[in-house]
């Protein structure tokens, strides 16, 4: 069990370990920020604290990291609208797609990949299959269509590495909307009327 939990925590790291995310809360605007670098293992506790203090929206631009199950569940439970910056890779994709309302722009890029824990001692085919099923489940919860799961499976088949699975799927916001249909996704947050209303109401 401990092994599975440790694998789950490193499930989504596609990032520069040397740079950690700036996480802070604007109490006046009730806005939580996750910006720049790696989301660290216990950062979900800080984000939960801010949400419980009244945080009403999440602004994120991140190359990935840890704590995505807890943050994603919190975003869904609190129904936090999420505003994505220029890049949202790896763990960030699970966090952002769990939101009932996602705001991005035409320049935003979303990068998906397999869990990469093969460097752990004793990692085997059972662990890989467990993690592969978990990523499918997480994206299903976020509203992924059958077509998106098929797209991931197609990339998995192309990758000939043992467990590494270095494939990546890069999507624009408009492409993301085709594969994630459960929630509202706005791709012109600087010009779309709903996006403008969101920005105005949050007093940028």
């Amino acid at each position: 069990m401990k092994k599975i939990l440790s694998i789950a925590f490193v499930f989504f790291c596609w990032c520069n370990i040397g740079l950690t995310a700036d996480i802070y809360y604007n109490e006046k605007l009730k806005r939580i920020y996750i910006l720049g670098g790696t989301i660290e293992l216990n950062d979900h506790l800080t984000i939960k604290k801010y949400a419980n203090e009244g945080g009403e929206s999440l602004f994120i631009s991140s190359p990935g990291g840890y704590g995505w199950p807890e943050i994603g569940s919190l975003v869904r439970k609190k129904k936090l609208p999420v505003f994505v910056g220029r890049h949202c890779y790896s763990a960030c994709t699970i966090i952002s797609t769990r939101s009932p309302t996602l705001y991005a722009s035409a320049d935003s890029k979303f990068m998906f990949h397999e869990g990469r824990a093969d460097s752990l001692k004793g990692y085997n085919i059972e662990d890989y299959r467990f993690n592969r099923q978990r990523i499918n489940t997480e994206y299903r919860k976020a509203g992924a269509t059958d077509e998106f799961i098929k797209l991931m499976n197609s990339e998995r088949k192309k990758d000939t590495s043992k467990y590494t699975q270095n494939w990546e799927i890069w999507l624009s916001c408009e492409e993301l909307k085709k594969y994630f249909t459960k929630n509202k996704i706005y791709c012109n947050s600087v010009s779309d009327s709903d996006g403008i209303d969101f920005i105005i109401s949050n007093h940028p």
Side-chain angles (χ1 to χ4, degrees):
M1 184 64 178
K2 290 182 179 179
K3 180 182 174 184
I4 290 176
L5 289 174
S6 66
I7 292 170
F9 274 119
V10 298
F11 192 39
F12 267 91
C13 190
W14 186 90
C15 43
N16 186 338
I17 300 299
L19 299 175
T20 58
D22 291 322
I23 298 177
Y24 54 97
Y25 177 49
N26 187 314
E27 186 175 358
K28 181 180 179 181
L29 305 181
K30 298 183 178 179
R31 183 185 297 167
I32 304 167
Y33 292 90
I34 304 175
L35 303 176
T38 306
I39 302 169
E40 294 297 324
L41 200 59
N42 292 321
D43 284 346
H44 68 93
L45 298 175
T46 302
I47 296 164
K48 182 179 181 180
K49 174 177 177 289
Y50 292 153
N52 289 336
E53 289 176 358
E56 295 180 351
S57 60
L58 174 65
F59 279 55
I60 184 169
S61 185
S62 170
Y66 309 88
W68 50 269
E70 295 86 358
I71 301 172
S73 295
L74 179 67
V75 164
R76 172 61 66 185
K77 180 180 179 181
K78 296 285 187 178
K79 298 181 179 179
L80 298 178
V82 172
F83 188 97
V84 170
R86 174 83 39 113
H87 64 275
C88 185
Y89 308 155
S90 195
C92 179
T93 60
I94 282 186
I95 295 169
S96 61
T97 56
R98 291 298 295 273
S99 172
T101 314
L102 172 59
Y103 295 88
S105 72
D107 293 330
S108 300
K109 293 295 182 184
F110 298 81
M111 190 280 282
F112 302 80
H113 69 85
E114 195 76 274
R116 296 173 184 169
D118 60 294
S119 60
L120 290 178
K121 185 177 180 180
Y123 189 79
N124 56 40
I125 187 63
E126 287 77 18
D127 297 323
Y128 166 70
R129 288 172 177 166
F130 172 84
N131 280 333
R132 183 178 62 183
Q133 183 57 46
R134 186 169 189 188
I135 185 175
N136 288 353
T137 300
E138 288 296 328
Y139 285 128
R140 287 287 192 189
K141 290 179 181 178
T145 61
D146 291 340
E147 286 72 24
F148 184 74
I149 302 301
K150 289 177 182 177
L151 179 61
M152 286 199 299
N153 288 335
S154 174
E155 294 302 314
R156 287 164 173 153
K157 289 179 181 178
K158 294 177 186 176
D159 195 308
T160 58
S161 59
K162 188 175 182 180
Y163 304 132
T164 306
Q165 292 289 300
N166 284 323
W167 59 266
E168 295 171 0
I169 297 172
W170 294 75
L171 300 179
S172 67
C173 183
E174 288 294 338
E175 291 170 327
L176 187 76
K177 287 177 67 174
K178 297 177 183 178
Y179 291 115
F180 288 81
T181 58
K182 183 177 180 180
N183 305 322
K184 294 181 179 179
I185 300 176
Y186 299 99
C187 298
N188 292 302
S189 57
V190 294
S191 60
D192 182 271
S193 60
D194 291 291
I196 292 173
D197 290 342
F198 172 77
I199 293 171
I200 292 175
S201 65
N202 279 276
H203 311 293

